[in-house]
Amino acid sequence: MVKVELLKELDNGIRFYSMENESLKIVVVNMGCRIMEIHTPDASGNKSDVILGLKNIEDYADDPAYFGAIIGRVANRIGDARFTLNGKTYELYANNGKNHLHGGKEGFDKKIFDVTPLENGLRFHYFSKDGEEGYPGNLNLYVTYTLNENAFSIHYEADTDADTVVNFTNHLYFNLSNTLDKVNDHYLQINSDYIGCVDDTCLATGELLPVKDTPFDFNKRKRIGQDLEADHIQLKNAFGYDHSFVLNGTENQLTLEEPVSGRRLIISTTAPVVQVYTGNFLKDGCIGKAGRVYENREGVALETQLMPNAINTEENPSTILRKGDKFESNTKYVFEIM
Ligand code: GLA
């Protein structure tokens, strides 16, 4: 049984909901479909919030960290804030140096979505008009959040009336500890043999690096901090991990564990890639739930998506959504005890 409840509604259409069952409690706001809280039990059965977020809803209007938000139209960076599709070049807003990041000036993380409560969750819809943030095509995005026992799922569905570019993700930052220490002592396992390389603006270059014998090999469970400061050009370029891991397999591709609390998160996704970001720029953010600005590395974002900057680097870009086609993707987060 899932209890779905409207907690609060503001005059400007912002609505807060909770979704709760015996295992999980999740608080969501329809601005950017932001997930504001996820409460899960530790090994002693005590529930606490395992994601980072901001203290005040007003702060989300200017949140450089994209806490818990749906990202669109295109997650991560688009090089030189421009791309060419069907022979036409589209200019985008450069909000990250010379690059376009996470949808531009006002990405989906700041948009108010329509909400339909479901028996086991919430369904959101956003209509993005042709030309919004420079992108072609009228786009409908449907995001569905559901709970099923100890699993939380995100389902993405989109359609367009003209060829366009999409790459959706959720920018949840996890910290499974009860003490909110840096995530260096969390353990991560990723079924991945390659990462996408980035340049010194954190832009994906299209080049793949085999992870074998590098700090990027997480095929065997590894402490996040183990190689985080290693002398590797890719870690230097991004000030830590901020890379796309190309996923192997279709289930349980990622596991995050925090041995002291005993919490374990297992992620299964239909997305081909996960962007692992160790909160390298968190200290430039707003006041977090802890009542202060987070320090770098106090959370790890695990963003399931398509390859960043694919539109500029891939021969047949995975991020093109054709007129009449339907985009679909699913990510499941299972919370358990180690
Ligand atoms: C993504 C990017 C990071 C950073 C964060 C938001 O994870 O890859 O470089 O921009 O979003 O702060």
Side-chain angles (χ1 to χ4, degrees):
M1 249 283 286
V2 182
K3 191 168 138 205
V4 181
E5 211 182 339
L6 173 66
L7 299 175
K8 192 156 86 172
E9 186 168 3
L10 308 180
D11 293 342
N12 51 7
I14 294 186
R15 291 185 189 179
F16 299 82
Y17 286 87
S18 73
M19 307 164 39
E20 188 172 2
N21 65 10
E22 302 72 38
S23 315
L24 298 171
K25 178 182 172 187
I26 301 190
V27 177
V28 174
V29 58
N30 63 337
M31 189 181 112
C33 304
R34 300 251 185 178
I35 300 169
M36 302 178 75
E37 297 169 26
I38 302 183
H39 299 263
T40 78
D42 64 11
S44 323
N46 298 319
K47 280 192 185 168
S48 67
D49 190 1
V50 296
I51 60 165
L52 308 193
L54 296 176
K55 202 166 170 64
N56 306 307
I57 181 74
E58 302 81 46
D59 296 343
Y60 281 111
D62 188 29
D63 160 25
Y66 302 85
F67 290 114
I70 290 294
I71 308 292
R73 282 194 197 192
V74 176
N76 213 284
R77 293 170 181 80
I78 295 185
D80 293 326
R82 87 161 63 93
F83 67 90
T84 302
L85 178 64
N86 299 336
K88 189 171 168 202
T89 297
Y90 294 87
E91 301 286 342
L92 306 170
Y93 187 75
N95 55 329
N96 192 248
K98 62 182 177 52
N99 302 321
H100 173 86
L101 175 69
H102 290 332
K105 193 170 183 167
E106 194 178 287
F108 290 5
D109 58 292
K110 296 188 185 67
K111 303 293 187 190
I112 309 284
F113 285 62
D114 315 320
V115 197
T116 314
L118 308 173
E119 224 166 76
N120 57 349
L122 294 160
R123 182 166 163 90
F124 299 89
H125 166 251
Y126 177 65
F127 173 71
S128 172
K129 247 176 96 83
D130 178 31
E132 184 183 288
E133 289 288 342
Y135 290 102
N138 289 302
L139 179 92
N140 284 295
L141 170 64
Y142 298 89
V143 175
T144 310
Y145 291 162
T146 50
L147 282 189
N148 185 0
E149 296 178 356
N150 57 343
F152 167 60
S153 297
I154 306 182
H155 182 256
Y156 305 83
E157 211 179 301
D159 60 67
T160 175
D161 66 358
D163 292 0
T164 190
V165 194
V166 297
N167 194 356
F168 308 113
T169 191
N170 187 298
H171 211 300
L172 280 166
Y173 291 82
F174 296 97
N175 187 321
L176 304 182
S177 76
N178 286 324
T179 45
L180 212 102
D181 297 326
K182 298 196 179 211
V183 291
N184 297 41
D185 289 336
H186 281 51
Y187 284 77
L188 184 60
Q189 191 271 325
I190 314 174
N191 296 340
S192 167
D193 294 326
Y194 295 91
I195 59 150
C197 294
V198 296
D199 68 13
D200 61 3
T201 66
C202 293
L203 173 71
T205 60
E207 197 190 329
L208 294 182
L209 176 81
V211 300
K212 201 172 181 312
D213 301 324
T214 76
F216 295 89
D217 193 349
F218 283 92
N219 281 294
K220 279 206 202 93
R221 173 188 188 270
K222 181 167 88 175
R223 208 173 61 84
I224 290 182
Q226 183 179 307
D227 299 326
L228 188 50
E229 310 301 336
D231 184 18
H232 192 287
I233 180 68
Q234 281 301 315
L235 289 171
K236 296 224 166 353
N237 279 353
F239 305 95
Y241 294 109
D242 192 356
H243 295 83
S244 283
F245 287 72
V246 180
L247 295 171
N248 288 332
T250 52
E251 256 186 292
N252 305 337
Q253 296 104 322
L254 247 99
T255 304
L256 181 70
E257 293 173 342
E258 202 279 310
V260 181
S261 69
R263 288 193 180 92
R264 171 188 289 146
L265 163 65
I266 302 174
I267 300 181
S268 296
T269 184
T270 61
V273 153
V274 64
Q275 178 81 11
V276 175
Y277 169 57
T278 42
N280 312 329
F281 313 114
L282 270 178
K283 72 171 170 45
D284 302 326
C286 317
I287 307 280
K289 287 185 239 178
R292 57 173 174 80
V293 176
Y294 291 108
E295 294 292 328
N296 287 345
R297 315 225 194 280
E298 283 185 347
V300 58
L302 303 169
E303 308 157 59
T304 55
Q305 56 183 226
L306 301 168
M307 184 57 89
N309 200 27
I311 191 66
N312 288 321
T313 61
E314 291 179 355
E315 208 169 297
N316 296 305
S318 50
T319 48
I320 294 179
L321 180 63
R322 300 277 175 201
K323 174 183 174 174
D325 284 357
K326 195 162 101 180
F327 173 92
E328 244 189 298
S329 167
N330 203 69
T331 298
K332 184 168 85 176
Y333 306 81
V334 173
F335 295 91
E336 9 170 283
I337 300 303
M338 294 170 64

